[in-house]
């Protein structure tokens, strides 16, 4: 019976807890978003903007860049990571490059606006 509940929850893209009627988080960040990054390469400040996709299951969120914000030669790369939602107010997590020639990885911290 539990395997059926898991299959239904996966098909609906919700958690088993949500399927069972447990309280859900008020913030749902699933969807396509834009990310902007400020970095430095060869002493020059760079701003990269790229589309990302977030998939939320409860307080856990998978995040993945959909395309590079810049060419690899200009410091751009594809990446993915994971975030955790705390009290519908804070997101913390990590990201890492999925490009074999790029070794970038770091932490993420976001504060969600109270009216979100």
């Amino acid at each position: 019976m539990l395997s059926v509940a898991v299959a239904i929850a996966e098909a609906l893209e919700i958690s088993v807890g949500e399927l069972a009627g447990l309280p859900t988080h008020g913030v749902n960040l699933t969807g396509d978003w834009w990310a902007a990054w400020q970095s430095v390469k060869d002493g020059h400040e760079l701003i990269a903007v790229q589309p990302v996709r977030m998939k939320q299951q409860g307080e856990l969120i998978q995040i993945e860049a959909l395309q590079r914000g810049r060419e690899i030669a200009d410091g751009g790369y594809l990446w993915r990571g994971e975030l955790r939602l705390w009290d519908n107010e804070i997101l913390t997590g990590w990201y890492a490059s999925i490009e074999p020639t790029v070794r970038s990885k770091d932490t993420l911290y976001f504060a969600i606006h109270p009216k979100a």
Side-chain angles (χ1 to χ4, degrees), residues 35-88:
W37 301 91
Q38 177 184 12
S39 59
V40 176
K41 184 172 191 277
D42 300 327
H44 296 92
E45 180 182 55
L46 299 173
I47 303 293
V49 178
Q50 64 192 134
V52 298
R53 179 161 294 142
M54 295 173 53
K55 184 175 180 185
Q56 182 174 349
Q57 290 188 330
E59 74 275 354
L60 294 178
I61 300 165
Q62 302 297 318
I63 183 170
E64 182 173 8
L66 300 176
Q67 66 186 47
R68 290 182 194 92
R70 297 182 163 274
E71 295 300 319
I72 291 178
D74 293 329
Y77 56 89
L78 294 173
W79 54 272
R80 69 173 156 239
E82 184 176 273
L83 299 163
R84 178 176 287 259
L85 178 63
W86 301 93
D87 297 327
N88 289 321

Side-chain angles (χ1 to χ4, degrees), residues 96-116:
S97 170
I98 59 173
E99 304 273 359
T101 59
V102 178
R103 294 190 41 163
S104 184
K105 54 182 142 300
D106 213 329
T107 58
L108 299 166
Y109 175 88
F110 300 100
I112 299 174
H113 192 280
K115 296 188 182 195

